DNA sequence: CGTATCCTGACC
DNA sequence: GGTCAGGATACG
């Protein structure tokens, strides 16, 4: 369930479950997660109080009262399951945060690609992130500035978290369709007018997702996607047919009829 | 820049 | 049994 609106939602769930509470136990259960969070490191979080939860791009940060931070990334499939300490852990639980009051938050991720790290005060395992995709100041001049130095296709540029933090494969496809820009278009060569269209398309796509009930992972949610996962289906805007290509080893869906370079 | 890789389940 | 998956990064 990645993509920014879902991570924003997850961060709110995490806030309600943990802020103001003391961490009783932090533990990675799966070997792949233990590599980044070995038991000896995880134990440092015990006894600390969660002061706040932040989201940066698709990372969730739990700030603790000694200045350390638990940094979580869901990658492809991660999600929170909030329950009581006495509840059985859901299937595919990869890490657990137990807090005072008998609550526990389980990180559920069948692929085990999620990551949890504990940074000491002053450390940061966060990569360099660009402007947050939901930031109001995202506009054509920001896009123009960051695109100018790169030779990549606009789709690849938008997926780069150091350019814009929080955009994933689905919303990039949807935003490009809305803006009528081909994913193959060279990022650096887009006109200011088209970048303006793109910036407002990004806002529109993220805004709509944040407001609507249900998620795109559900059948109902999929219906509002114009191109993602719709190879071979008719375009909603022109008489073209949605095609799928591969860019940077990821699927790209678009309409060759109305999305131009 | 593109490609391989982490990991495991779901689906054809 | 093969292929695919919404992410990110290390590598060539």
């Amino acid at each position: 369930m990645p993509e920014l609106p879902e991570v924003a939602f997850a961060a709110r769930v995490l806030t309600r479950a943990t802020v103001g509470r003391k961490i009783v136990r932090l533990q990675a259960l799966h070997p792949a997660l233990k590599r980044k969070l070995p038991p000896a490191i995880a134990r440092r979080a015990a006894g600390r109080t969660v002061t706040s939860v932040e989201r940066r791009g698709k990372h969730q940060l739990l700030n603790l009262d000694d200045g350390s931070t638990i940094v979580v990334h869901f990658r492809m499939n991660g999600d929170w399951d909030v329950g009581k300490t006495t509840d059985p852990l859901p299937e595919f639980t990869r890490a657990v945060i137990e807090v005072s009051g008998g609550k526990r938050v389980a990180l559920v991720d069948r692929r085990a690609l999620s990551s949890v790290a504990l940074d000491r005060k002053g450390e940061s395992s966060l990569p360099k992130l660009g402007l947050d995709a939901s930031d109001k100041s995202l506009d054509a001049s920001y896009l123009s500035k960051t695109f100018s130095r790169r030779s990549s296709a606009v789709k690849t540029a938008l997926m780069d978290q150091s350019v814009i933090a929080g955009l994933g494969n689905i919303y990039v496809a949807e935003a490009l369709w809305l803006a009528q820009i081909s994913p193959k278009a060279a990022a650096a060569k887009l006109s200011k007018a088209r970048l303006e269209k793109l910036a407002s398309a990004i806002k529109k796509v993220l805004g709509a997702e944040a407001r609507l009930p249900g998620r795109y992972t559900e059948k109902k949610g999929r219906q509002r996607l114009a191109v993602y996962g719709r190879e071979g289906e008719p375009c909603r805007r022109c008489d073209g047919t949605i095609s799928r290509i591969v860019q940077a080893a990821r699927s790209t869906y678009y309409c060759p009829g109305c999305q131009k370079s």
Side-chain angles (χ1 to χ4, degrees):
Chain A
M1 65 154 283
E3 292 280 6
L4 190 139
E6 284 77 13
V7 177
F9 178 80
R12 287 196 292 275
V13 168
L14 190 60
T15 300
R16 276 196 294 276
T18 66
V19 170
R21 292 192 161 89
K22 199 171 263 193
I23 292 187
V24 175
R25 193 167 62 105
L26 170 68
Q27 191 182 16
L29 304 178
H30 187 284
L33 281 91
K34 275 187 186 163
R35 278 205 293 272
K36 271 201 118 177
L37 188 71
I41 305 281
R43 275 196 287 272
R44 291 179 194 158
R48 303 269 58 91
T49 298
V50 181
T51 54
S52 62
V53 171
E54 290 175 75
R55 177 190 65 74
R56 292 210 201 141
K58 283 175 277 194
H59 303 263
Q60 295 172 74
L61 281 59
L62 287 95
N63 297 311
L64 309 185
D65 62 358
D66 63 347
S68 62
T69 308
I70 302 172
V71 183
V72 179
H73 197 298
F74 282 164
R75 300 288 172 105
M76 301 270 209
N77 293 286
D79 200 359
W80 297 124
D81 178 277
V82 179
K84 290 184 217 143
T85 318
T86 50
D87 293 341
L89 289 173
E91 201 182 3
F92 311 127
T93 296
R94 307 309 187 188
V96 198
I97 306 170
E98 268 179 42
V99 293
S100 52
K103 258 193 185 174
R104 64 108 177 102
V105 182
L107 196 172
V108 182
D109 174 11
R110 45 179 226 271
R111 277 177 83 181
L113 291 173
S114 291
S115 69
V116 181
L118 179 63
D119 290 347
R120 299 181 114 129
K121 184 176 182 168
E123 288 177 352
S124 177
S125 58
L126 279 182
K128 182 180 179 286
L129 296 172
L131 193 63
D132 199 274
S134 66
D135 197 306
K136 285 190 198 70
S137 62
L138 178 68
D139 60 8
S141 77
Y142 178 80
L143 293 178
S144 157
K145 198 176 59 191
T146 48
F147 284 180
S148 65
R149 284 178 296 128
R150 44 179 62 235
S151 54
S152 67
V154 63
K155 196 267 184 157
T156 315
L158 290 172
M159 294 282 288
D160 186 334
Q161 301 297 299
S162 70
V163 173
I164 300 178
L167 280 187
N169 211 16
I170 294 180
Y171 293 144
V172 165
E174 296 298 310
L176 287 171
W177 180 83
L178 258 187
Q180 296 184 250
I181 297 171
S182 166
K184 293 187 282 190
K189 291 191 171 168
L190 290 169
S191 70
K192 201 79 179 231
R194 303 192 81 198
L195 291 178
E196 257 156 42
K197 255 187 125 174
L198 180 56
S200 70
I202 290 168
K203 288 177 184 175
K204 207 166 166 185
V205 166
L206 289 175
E209 182 63 35
R211 278 192 305 278
L212 287 165
R215 311 220 184 126
Y216 62 78
T217 39
E218 297 155 8
K219 249 202 185 116
K220 224 162 129 192
R222 291 247 168 199
Q223 285 168 12
R224 60 174 175 268
L225 299 178
V227 283
Y228 186 83
R230 293 188 178 276
E231 183 181 18
E233 293 181 33
C235 176
R236 292 176 181 180
R237 184 170 49 209
C238 73
D239 58 6
T241 304
I242 307 306
S243 33
R244 184 182 88 97
I245 57 170
V246 175
Q247 289 178 292
R250 307 292 303 280
S251 289
T252 300
Y253 298 89
Y254 76 112
C255 174
C258 55
Q259 291 180 250
K260 298 298 183 189
S261 289

